[in-house]
Amino acid sequence: EKGTYPHYMLKEIDEQPLVIRNIISKYQKENGEIKLDEDIRKAMQAADRIYIIAAGTSYHAGLVGKQLIESIAKKPVETHIASEFLYNMPLVSEKPLFIFISQSGETADSRGVLVNVKKLGYPALTITNVPGSTLSREADFTLHTYAGPEIAVASTKAYTAQMAVLAILAVDTAKARGLTLDFDPIKELSIVGTVMETLCDQKEALEKIAREYLSVTRNCFFIGRASDYYVGLEGALKLKEISYIQAEGFAGGELKHGTIALIEEGTPVIALATQKHVNLSIRGNVKEVAARGANPCIISLEGLNADNDAFVLPKVHDYLTPLVAVIPLQLISYYAALHRGCDVDKPRNLAKSVTVE
Ligand code: M6R
């Protein structure tokens, strides 16, 4: 039930700090170590390459997952759109492990790939919010995201839960490989929960941003580099599906290869600047679009912020920044849809779970 909330989406956005705490408690042993099925641990160790398969928002979580597993566990990962993999399967490595990410566990495109890889005899792990679902039953292993039922068509808490579980999986894999980590993953995840709470309390500021940048526009671009690019893709998906604004996410460096031609007087460009190593280059991109008339809205991180940034995120561990950076984007999308009179929880032409190809 949505209780006093006007929409499930807003309730589900607000539930994210709780979901993170829930995930911590489910994946932590009493001694503080990570609790994970030994068979999953073995499958991660045995794999020479990991293939993440998903659709929509879950695909965007998979992009961040690739970065987490590669940087923390030092295992090569490829993330693929399920419907593309289905008809254009790449050559796979000798010992692949397939990870399916799906909130519902019922997405037909992902299931199609699962059926094919099982026929080929490859091991499969499903990360899902619905453990009894088709993708969970048909895979060898399941990791539960413990986000609780997600009702709004626009996925919010399932996305951050998927990334949190992927971070835990990455850390567990690193430890099982004998790698030493210079951070305490549980502590860093609990900081994420606290920061999420702070962000959920900043609704007024985010509503104002939505009003200022998005109340009349026809389109909106999201730019970022590295993980900010992935979060930007998710921000664009969120905005387009519920507000019907044509929203697209781009890698900052790609702007000059075409997209910048679309910038007109007043075009909103939401730029994410949450990482030190790309801070200067993304701010360079912002200058380029501003010079062509864009209305830039910079979302940055404490310590990397500059005058006139529209919103500044509190600092969390670098690897986990996407989990907090998405929250303002979710809320901006929510308010943009609300201001434009859209049906936030049930956007036109969309179904919560896409069980046909
Ligand atoms: O249930 P799944 O995670 O497999 O669903 C995948 C997509 O259909 C889903 O994420 C969709 O993109 C959402 N409506 C995005 O908010």
Side-chain angles (χ1 to χ4, degrees):
E1 250 322 293
K2 60 179 191 269
T4 54
Y5 279 94
H7 298 100
Y8 281 106
M9 185 184 176
L10 194 62
K11 172 172 179 267
E12 290 162 4
I13 290 173
D14 269 358
E15 280 170 355
Q16 292 175 105
L18 197 76
V19 171
I20 297 299
R21 275 178 215 127
N22 213 5
I23 289 172
I24 293 174
S25 74
K26 298 288 184 187
Y27 285 100
Q28 190 184 25
K29 287 194 209 156
E30 269 175 25
N31 64 5
E33 289 295 309
I34 290 173
K35 185 163 75 190
L36 204 82
D37 184 343
E38 197 50 44
D39 292 336
I40 297 178
R41 191 168 286 149
K42 282 191 190 139
M44 287 294 288
Q45 295 308 308
D48 62 359
R49 182 173 281 261
I50 290 155
Y51 294 81
I52 297 181
I53 311 290
T57 288
S58 298
Y59 168 69
H60 296 154
L63 292 172
V64 174
K66 168 189 162 70
Q67 218 179 33
L68 289 167
I69 297 171
E70 289 194 336
S71 40
I72 301 173
K74 315 285 180 216
K75 280 248 173 195
V77 182
E78 293 176 20
T79 302
H80 292 269
I81 294 174
S83 59
E84 277 299 301
F85 196 94
L86 197 54
Y87 294 107
N88 191 16
M89 182 165 163
L91 275 180
V92 298
S93 64
E94 255 172 58
K95 289 184 181 169
L97 168 67
F98 282 84
I99 300 185
F100 292 84
I101 307 179
S102 175
Q103 188 285 129
S104 63
E106 301 297 343
T107 297
D109 295 324
S110 303
R111 168 141 197 265
V113 179
L114 175 58
V115 169
N116 287 352
V117 302
K118 286 317 299 170
K119 270 193 211 140
L120 295 167
Y122 298 137
L125 156 69
T126 292
I127 298 181
T128 183
N129 206 26
V130 186
S133 58
T134 309
L135 282 166
S136 155
R137 281 184 280 111
E138 295 181 357
D140 303 280
F141 323 104
T142 296
L143 284 176
H144 189 179
T145 46
Y146 295 106
E150 193 182 61
I151 311 291
V153 165
S155 185
T156 53
K157 62 177 180 171
Y159 170 75
T160 41
Q162 287 162 348
M163 294 190 292
V165 169
L166 284 160
I168 289 171
L169 182 64
V171 166
D172 187 79
T173 305
K175 287 193 172 162
R177 303 189 78 185
L179 302 177
T180 27
L181 300 177
D182 58 358
F183 64 97
D184 172 353
I186 301 290
K187 190 180 130 223
E188 298 301 338
L189 268 177
S190 33
I191 295 174
V192 163
T194 312
V195 167
M196 282 177 163
E197 219 159 59
T198 318
L199 294 172
C200 288
D201 285 342
Q202 283 171 269
K203 293 193 179 65
E204 254 176 63
L206 293 161
E207 170 159 26
K208 215 171 131 229
I209 292 176
R211 200 176 291 287
E212 183 181 335
Y213 290 87
L214 302 171
S215 46
V216 290
T217 190
R218 198 167 50 88
N219 50 17
C220 173
F221 302 116
F222 288 74
I223 59 168
R225 288 171 182 255
S227 69
D228 285 337
Y229 164 45
Y230 302 151
V231 177
L233 290 175
E234 174 57 11
L237 173 58
K238 221 76 308 163
L239 185 63
K240 76 178 88 169
E241 71 177 325
I242 60 168
S243 76
Y244 317 141
I245 295 171
Q246 191 208 348
E248 307 299 341
F250 296 105
E254 280 291 288
L255 275 169
K256 58 181 173 300
H257 299 291
T259 317
I260 202 157
L262 295 172
I263 303 295
E264 294 171 349
E265 199 55 42
T267 306
V269 175
I270 301 184
L272 291 160
T274 75
Q275 300 159 92
K276 200 170 176 195
H277 71 297
V278 288
N279 197 29
L280 280 180
S281 51
I282 196 67
R283 286 179 187 278
N285 294 139
V286 169
K287 283 201 188 103
E288 287 155 17
V289 291
R292 274 117 188 136
N295 188 14
C297 170
I298 303 180
I299 299 183
S300 63
L301 187 79
E302 214 172 63
L304 299 178
N305 55 311
D307 291 348
N308 301 325
D309 288 356
F311 194 84
V312 181
L313 297 158
K315 179 119 184 64
V316 298
H317 193 283
D318 278 352
Y319 291 145
L320 302 177
T321 306
L323 281 84
V324 299
V326 76
I327 309 259
L329 305 188
Q330 294 169 343
L331 282 164
I332 290 171
S333 300
Y334 172 79
Y335 287 114
L338 199 68
H339 296 158
R340 294 166 78 108
C342 301
D343 187 346
V344 172
D345 283 341
K346 285 199 176 67
R348 69 186 181 203
N349 309 344
L350 289 170
K352 180 63 182 165
S353 76
V354 186
T355 52
V356 287
E357 225 193 83

